[in-house]
Amino acid sequence: MQDLRIIFMGTPEFAVPSLKVLVEGGLTVVAVVTAMDKPKGRGRKLATSPVKDYALEQGLPVLQPPNLKHPDFLEELRSYQANLQVVVAFRMLPVVVWDMPEIGTFNLHASLLPQYRGAAPINWAIINGEKETGVTTFFLKHDIDTGNIIFQEKEAISADDTAGTLYARLMEKGARLVLKTVEAIQQGSYPQEPQDETVHWHHAPKIFKETCEIDWTDTTVKVRNFIRGLSPYPAAWTTIDGKPCKVYRAGIVENGGGMGIPGEYATDNERYFHFFTADGVLAIEELQMAGKKRMKTEDFFRGNQLTK
């Protein structure tokens, strides 16, 4: 059995369970690398990352380099004499960092690679109407998300899943896969399968708020998948009575009572709020009008009326 000295790299909530299983599993995590503290909220107070919060609770050394190529950071990283680095939801690493450990650096990705390479695999899997996704551990190499696969595990996507519900399941499944991967490396017996570059694979580029506007000229199924894939964050949006409105949940109206002009809506300002698409009708079930709280549609109508 090989003695491992691990440096963990990650920032958001998604990475915390992976770090936690390593610590609680008795593995030697010698340091944690995470993002710098950032101003947050109206008061613009400096906020720490979820990974930093957990690492400090466990008494782990925390590194927050502004520049991953800076000589001072590289010297400090080497001083921990790690022979394995584990990356979960962190930034792109320069070669000098990921190539530093003797064993290498592996990453946890929230898709079944080579499918959905990129920054937003969970969102795009739902937006594209996939019925299945999963998690992958793989060794880093020059091109992003292209290294040799160590392990993969599948996860079904239900018709009512949102990016939020799927995120929560893959976060926990991914943590278990990270532990499985580290234990296999510790035993010195683990697969390294090259990714199949002959298959057609989908990209998962970063999502920006300005590209989250709903296109009502699309089909009902595609619009609903778009809403699901962006809920709860950054949230799909549309314009209602001249004001932006985030849409978090919508259902397909069977036998919707005829076709209308895509993008127009019908409502009784009490029980229903229907939008016409290219081929049907969607019922808005949960929304957030500008300046108001997120709420179910029936709760919204208790204090608000629309013009139609």
Side-chain angles (χ1 to χ4, degrees):
M1 182 180 293
Q2 187 166 8
D3 289 331
L4 296 181
R5 291 178 58 82
I6 300 167
I7 285 180
F8 184 91
M9 301 183 179
T11 294
E13 174 195 29
F14 189 87
V16 173
S18 293
L19 175 57
K20 188 175 181 180
V21 295
L22 297 179
V23 172
E24 293 184 353
L27 291 146
T28 305
V29 179
V30 294
V32 171
V33 183
T34 191
M36 296 179 66
D37 300 348
K38 295 181 179 178
K40 193 174 182 180
R42 292 183 179 179
R44 308 306 290 166
K45 292 182 178 179
L46 286 180
T48 54
S49 75
V51 164
K52 179 179 179 179
D53 292 340
Y54 178 78
L56 292 178
E57 287 174 8
Q58 301 303 312
L60 298 173
V62 175
L63 286 61
Q64 297 177 274
N67 183 346
L68 294 175
K69 294 181 180 180
H70 195 282
D72 289 346
F73 167 66
L74 296 176
E75 183 180 352
E76 186 174 13
L77 200 62
R78 287 191 190 95
S79 72
Y80 286 101
Q81 300 180 325
N83 53 8
L84 176 68
Q85 289 176 160
V86 178
V87 180
V88 181
F90 194 55
R91 54 199 281 197
M92 220 175 143
L93 299 180
V95 176
V96 67
V97 172
W98 62 254
D99 196 41
M100 188 180 294
E102 169 194 348
I103 297 170
T105 299
F106 80 79
N107 185 75
L108 171 71
H109 190 74
S111 79
L112 298 174
L113 291 173
Q115 293 298 332
Y116 295 101
R117 292 171 176 166
I122 296 174
N123 304 89
W124 284 107
I126 295 179
I127 289 171
N128 289 340
E130 302 287 0
K131 300 295 190 292
E132 183 181 70
T133 186
V135 285
T136 302
T137 51
F138 68 99
F139 281 108
L140 293 187
K141 57 184 281 189
H142 286 276
D143 297 325
I144 189 167
D145 297 337
T146 61
N148 288 349
I149 292 171
I150 309 169
F151 294 121
Q152 290 186 322
E153 288 191 10
K154 297 178 179 180
E155 179 70 22
I157 303 176
S158 78
D160 291 322
D161 263 325
T162 64
T165 59
L166 186 57
Y167 174 102
R169 296 204 306 278
L170 292 182
M171 178 171 64
E172 298 300 331
K173 184 181 285 279
R176 293 191 293 272
L177 194 65
V178 164
L179 181 60
K180 176 182 176 180
T181 303
V182 170
E183 288 177 341
I185 291 172
Q186 192 175 37
Q187 294 294 333
S189 178
Y190 51 94
Q192 289 197 61
E193 295 294 330
Q195 295 187 35
D196 186 354
E197 299 294 344
T198 66
V199 301
H200 172 73
W201 52 274
H202 296 281
H203 291 272
K206 187 175 181 179
I207 291 173
F208 299 92
K209 291 182 181 180
E210 54 268 27
T211 61
C212 294
E213 184 175 9
I214 297 169
D215 180 3
W216 296 107
T217 66
D218 220 331
T219 67
T220 306
V221 169
K222 286 185 177 180
V223 173
R224 183 172 182 267
N225 287 343
F226 186 74
I227 292 168
R228 292 167 54 223
L230 296 173
S231 178
Y233 183 84
W237 63 274
T238 191
T239 301
I240 299 172
D241 295 351
K243 297 179 180 179
C245 175
K246 293 180 178 180
V247 181
Y248 295 97
R249 190 159 52 91
I252 296 174
V253 180
E254 304 294 343
N255 304 315
M259 297 293 292
I261 298 173
E264 290 194 350
Y265 67 81
T267 181
D268 63 356
N269 278 310
E270 184 179 344
R271 293 177 296 106
Y272 69 86
F273 185 16
H274 292 172
F275 262 89
F276 296 105
T277 67
D279 65 351
V281 181
L282 268 184
I284 306 303
E285 298 171 349
E286 194 171 357
L287 52 78
Q288 183 177 13
M289 289 291 289
K292 298 188 180 295
K293 294 180 179 180
R294 174 178 172 176
M295 61 186 77
K296 293 181 179 178
T297 298
E298 57 265 33
D299 295 330
F300 171 79
F301 282 138
R302 289 193 181 100
N304 301 275
Q305 299 287 289
L306 300 176
T307 57
K308 291 186 180 182

